[in-house]
C-alpha cells in the first residue's frame, strides 16, 4: 500500500473514531523518501515531516498548555517506545512515544482537542503517531518552531563536504572484512576436516595394536608349550606356530608403524589447521573492527556553534567527540538560530546538498494561536510554511571562522549531518545519550522548567507493559 493510500485509509478510520479534527496530509506528487526532520509549528499546531526533497507528511498536534508550554528549540529523537505509560501523569497511555529530552518531552499519540492541551509533550493523532513511529530513525531532527517554517536549500563555503575517498575507504574496508570472514570460515572448515581425518587415522593404529597383542599372546602360549614335556612331533608343530607368530608380530608392527606415522601427520595437520584458523579468525576480527570503525566514522556528524559561548561542539552517535573555541565576527551582535542539514549527495562527485531552517524567537505567537489559550485562527490546512530568508543564514555563516585544525578533526560528513548556528548556549538537556538540544530563550519553556532533572529513587522507570523494564542511558525516568 502506497504512503498516500495508507494515510488516506487511516484518515477514514480516524474520522469514524472522531480522533482527529483536521485530516492528515501526505505528498502525492512523488514517492516519499526517508524522513530527515520534523518541524512542529506552535502557532499553527501542526507537524510537518520532510525528506530530502520536501515535505511528505502533515498532521495537527496539541502542544503544551499555558504554563506548561512545549519549549521552542532544536531536538532529536533519542528514544522510541511503542507502548509507553507515564509515571507522572496518572499512568497516562502515550503510544508510539518518541522522546526528544530525557526530562520527558516527547512526541506521542494522544487526544487532540483542537488546542494546546498537553503538559509539554507534542500529541499526535493516534494513527499518525503509529505510522511516523515506523518511519523515523533514532537521531532524526525535531524542530519546535514558534511559527511554521520550512527548510530551503542553501550553498555556502562553510557548509562541510565529505572528505576525499571516505566512501571508497569504507567500501574497501567492508570488502576486506567480507574477504577475511570468508577466509576464516574456510580455515575453520579445513581445521574440522583435518580433525576428522586424524580421527579416522586412529583406527588403523588401534587395529594393528589389537592384532599385535593377540599375536603376542599366541606366541607366549606357544613358548609355554615348548617349555613343557611334549612329544617331538608336538614340539615341531609348536616351533612352526612360534615362527608364524613371530612373523605375524613383525608384520603387525610394520602396519602399526605405518599407521602411526600417518596418524602423526594427520595430528600435525590438525595443529597447523587450527593455528591457521586462529590466525584467520584474528584477521577477521581485525578487519571487522576496521570496517566497523570506518562505518562509525561515516555516521552523521552534528556540529553546533554558539555565539553565547563562542565555542564549537561536535557530536556523533549521541556522544561528544570535539569541543573548540571558534571565532565569530562582531560577537555582540545577534546571529540568529539556524539549522543546516546535509540532505543528499548532489552529483556523482560526492558533494552534498544542504538545506537550512531559520528560527525566530520572541513573542511571535500572538495573532493566530496564543499557546495555552482557546484563541485560534483558521485551520492550517492548505497554508504553506513560511520560507526562511537565505540571506540571514548566509550572513550568519559569513561571520564564522573555524580553525583549519578543527575542520580536519571534525570527521567525514555524510547525509543527515548537521550544523547548528545559534545565539543560545546548549541546553542542560544536552548530555549523555542525546543530540544537541537548543532552547529559544525568548519563548515560553513551562513544559520543561516544571520537569525534575534529578529524580529520587522513588520514581520508577517507564516501560512497555508487555516487555521487560527498559532503563534510559542515564537513569532518568520517562514522563
Amino acid at each position: 500500500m502506497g504512503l498516500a493510500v495508507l494515510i488516506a485509509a487511516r484518515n477514514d478510520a480516524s474520522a469514524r473514531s472522531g480522533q482527529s479534527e483536521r485530516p492528515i496530509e501526505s505528498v502525492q506528487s512523488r514517492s516519499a523518501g526517508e524522513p530527515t526532520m520534523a518541524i512542529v509549528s506552535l502557532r499553527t499546531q501542526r507537524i510537518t515531516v520532510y525528506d530530502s526533497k520536501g515535505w511528505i507528511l502533515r498532521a495537527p498536534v496539541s502542544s503544551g498548555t499555558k504554563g506548561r508550554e512545549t519549549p521552542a528549540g532544536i531536538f532529536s529523537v533519542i528514544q522510541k517506545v511503542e507502548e509507553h505509560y507515564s509515571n507522572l501523569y496518572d499512568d497516562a497511555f502515550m503510544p508510539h512515544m518518541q522522546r526528544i529530552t530525557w526530562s520527558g518531552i516527547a512526541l506521542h499519540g494522544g487526544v487532540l482537542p483542537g488546542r494546546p492541551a498537553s503538559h509539554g509533550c507534542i500529541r499526535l493523532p493516534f494513527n499518525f503517531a503509529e505510522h511516523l513511529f515506523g518511519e523515523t530513525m533514532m537521531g532524526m531532527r525535531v524542530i519546535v518552531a514558534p511559527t511554521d517554517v520550512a527548510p530551503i536549500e542553501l550553498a555556502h563555503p562553510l557548509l562541510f563536504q565529505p572528505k576525499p575517498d571516505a566512501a571508497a575507504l569504507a567500501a574497501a574496508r567492508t570488502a576486506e572484512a567480507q574477504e577475511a570472514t570468508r577466509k576464516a570460515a574456510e580455515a575453520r572448515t579445513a581445521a574440522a576436516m583435518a580433525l576428522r581425518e586424524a580421527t579416522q587415522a586412529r583406527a588403523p593404529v588401534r587395529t594393528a595394536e589389537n592384532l599385535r597383542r593377540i599375536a603376542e599372546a599366541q606366541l607366549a602360549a606357544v613358548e609355554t608349550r615348548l617349555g613343557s614335556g611334549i612329544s617331538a612331533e608336538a614340539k615341531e608343530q609348536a616351533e612352526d606356530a612360534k615362527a608364524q607368530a613371530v612373523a605375524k608380530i613383525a608384520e603387525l608392527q610394520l602396519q602399526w608403524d605405518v599407521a602411526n606415522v600417518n596418524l602423526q601427520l594427520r595430528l600435525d595437520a590438525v595443529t597447523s589447521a587450527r593455528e591457521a584458523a586462529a590466525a584467520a579468525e584474528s584477521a577477521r576480527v581485525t578487519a571487522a573492527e576496521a570496517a566497523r570503525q570506518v562505518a562509525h566514522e561515516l555516521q552523521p556528524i552534528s556540529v553546533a556553534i554558539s555565539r553565547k559561548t563562542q565555542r564549537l561542539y561536535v557530536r556523533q552517535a549521541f556522544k561528544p567527540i570535539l569541543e573548540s573555541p571558534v571565532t565569530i565576527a562582531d560577537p555582540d551582535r545577534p546571529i540568529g538560530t539556524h539549522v543546516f542539514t546535509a540532505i543528499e549527495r548532489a552529483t556523482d562527485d560526492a558533494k552534498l546538498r544542504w538545506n537550512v531552517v531559520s528560527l525566530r524567537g520572541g513573542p511571535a505567537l500572538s495573532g493566530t494561536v496564543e499557546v495555552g489559550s482557546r484563541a485560534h485562527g483558521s485551520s492550517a490546512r492548505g497554508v504553506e510554511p513560511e520560507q526562511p530568508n537565505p540571506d540571514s543564514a548566509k550572513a550568519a555563516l559569513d561571520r564564522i571562522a573555524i580553525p583549519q585544525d578543527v575542520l580536519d578533526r571534525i570527521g567525514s560528513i555524510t547525509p543527515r549531518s548537521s550544523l547548528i548556528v545559534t545565539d543560545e548556549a546548549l541546553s542542560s538537556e544536552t548530555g549523555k545519550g542525546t543530540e544537541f538540544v537548543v532552547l529559544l530563550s525568548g519563548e515560553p519553556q513551562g513544559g520543561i522548567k516544571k520537569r525534575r532533572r534529578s529524580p529520587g529513587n522513588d520514581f520508577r522507570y517507564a516501560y512497555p507493559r508487555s516487555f521487560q523494564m527498559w532503563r534510559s542511558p542515564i537513569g532518568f525516568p520517562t514522563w
Side-chain angles (χ1 to χ4, degrees):
M1 182 182 294
L3 177 63
V5 177
L6 175 65
I7 296 300
R10 289 180 172 174
N11 281 339
D12 292 341
S14 177
R16 289 193 297 271
S17 65
Q19 291 296 321
S20 177
E21 292 187 337
R22 284 181 271 154
I24 296 168
E25 301 175 65
S26 62
V27 63
Q28 299 184 32
S29 60
R30 61 180 176 83
S31 298
E34 181 181 280
T36 59
M37 74 174 68
I39 299 179
V40 176
S41 167
L42 297 176
R43 168 181 285 179
T44 60
Q45 292 288 282
R46 180 173 73 176
I47 183 173
T48 304
V49 182
Y50 294 86
D51 67 4
S52 63
K53 294 181 173 60
W55 78 273
I56 53 176
L57 290 171
R58 283 176 179 158
V61 302
S62 184
S63 62
T65 189
K66 187 173 183 178
R68 296 183 180 272
E69 299 90 352
T70 302
I74 304 164
F75 310 87
S76 295
V77 174
I78 57 176
Q79 183 196 18
K80 298 176 66 170
V81 179
E82 186 171 2
E83 185 182 348
H84 176 74
Y85 295 82
S86 170
N87 61 0
L88 184 64
Y89 299 117
D90 300 323
D91 211 33
F93 183 41
M94 299 178 177
H96 303 102
M97 185 273 290
Q98 302 191 63
R99 179 183 305 282
I100 59 176
T101 75
W102 285 119
S103 61
I105 305 296
L107 309 169
H108 63 80
V111 175
L112 274 62
R115 57 182 171 79
S118 79
H119 288 85
C121 285
I122 301 162
R123 295 183 192 171
L124 310 172
F126 287 110
N127 53 354
F128 181 84
E130 178 183 2
H131 179 71
L132 187 64
F133 188 92
E135 295 294 323
T136 58
M137 297 175 59
M138 291 283 288
M140 186 192 77
R141 180 75 66 205
V142 178
I143 298 173
V144 180
T147 60
D148 201 352
V149 295
I152 186 173
E153 190 164 341
L154 185 76
H156 191 278
L158 193 68
L159 295 175
F160 314 112
Q161 289 297 331
K163 291 186 176 180
D165 302 326
L169 177 61
R173 292 291 180 267
T174 300
E176 290 169 3
Q178 292 172 344
E179 179 65 11
T181 300
R182 183 187 65 80
K183 289 182 177 180
E186 289 180 350
R188 288 194 301 270
T189 300
M193 183 176 296
L195 181 59
R196 286 196 299 271
E197 291 177 351
T199 301
Q200 293 169 357
R202 292 181 187 275
V205 174
R206 291 171 179 169
T207 299
E209 286 178 347
N210 292 334
L211 292 175
R212 189 182 64 184
R213 290 193 186 98
I214 294 172
E216 288 172 345
Q218 291 173 346
L219 176 59
V222 169
E223 288 177 338
T224 300
R225 286 182 62 198
L226 286 172
S228 62
I230 58 175
S231 65
E233 183 180 358
K235 185 176 182 180
E236 183 180 356
Q237 290 176 352
E239 290 289 354
D240 289 341
K242 177 180 179 180
Q244 291 176 6
V246 170
K248 186 64 174 178
I249 290 172
E251 179 186 352
L252 292 172
Q253 180 64 43
L254 179 60
Q255 291 179 9
W256 183 88
D257 289 340
V258 172
N260 200 48
V261 168
N262 185 55
L263 172 59
Q264 190 58 51
L265 291 174
R266 295 292 183 265
L267 292 175
D268 291 344
V270 169
T271 301
S272 297
R274 284 176 171 172
E275 290 175 351
E281 177 61 18
S282 178
R284 184 199 67 78
V285 170
T286 299
E289 176 59 23
R292 187 203 65 78
Q293 183 62 32
V294 170
H296 175 76
E297 291 173 358
L298 290 180
Q299 290 187 36
I301 290 176
S302 295
V303 180
I305 297 175
S306 166
R307 183 182 66 85
K308 186 171 185 178
T309 63
Q310 296 286 298
R311 297 189 73 79
L312 174 147
Y313 311 86
V314 183
R315 284 191 162 231
Q316 187 176 39
F318 295 165
K319 295 180 180 179
I321 61 174
L322 175 63
E323 180 178 338
S324 172
V326 70
T327 301
I328 300 178
D330 197 4
D332 294 329
R333 180 164 57 92
I335 201 169
T337 295
H338 312 275
V339 183
F340 303 88
T341 304
I343 49 178
E344 66 179 6
R345 303 195 184 280
T347 60
D348 292 338
D349 63 4
K351 288 191 176 297
L352 291 173
R353 292 170 49 220
W354 287 77
N355 66 24
V356 62
V357 174
S358 297
L359 301 179
R360 293 206 309 264
L365 300 178
S366 60
T368 304
V369 172
E370 180 182 351
V371 175
S373 75
R374 293 180 178 271
H376 299 279
S378 61
S379 166
R381 177 171 172 79
V383 177
E384 291 299 318
E386 61 186 76
Q387 295 291 323
N389 181 356
D391 294 337
S392 173
K394 288 181 179 179
L397 294 176
D398 288 340
R399 292 169 57 188
I400 297 170
I402 303 175
Q404 185 59 49
D405 66 313
V406 175
L407 290 172
D408 294 339
R409 295 168 57 196
I410 283 178
S412 185
I413 302 300
T414 61
R416 302 175 69 90
S417 294
S418 62
L419 168 63
I420 298 171
V421 175
T422 179
D423 291 312
E424 314 288 351
L426 297 180
S427 167
S428 60
E429 292 285 346
T430 301
K432 185 176 181 180
T434 76
E435 250 276 13
F436 292 118
V437 178
V438 176
L439 303 181
L440 299 188
S441 57
E443 298 297 322
Q445 299 177 10
I448 203 166
K449 288 182 177 179
K450 293 181 180 294
R451 295 169 187 268
R452 297 176 62 181
R453 294 295 193 277
S454 302
N457 294 330
D458 55 323
F459 282 84
R460 63 177 172 83
Y461 293 91
Y463 60 94
R465 294 209 167 160
S466 56
F467 300 97
Q468 292 183 343
M469 186 177 295
W470 187 96
R471 293 180 182 272
S472 79
I474 52 177
F476 283 0
T478 48
W479 297 339

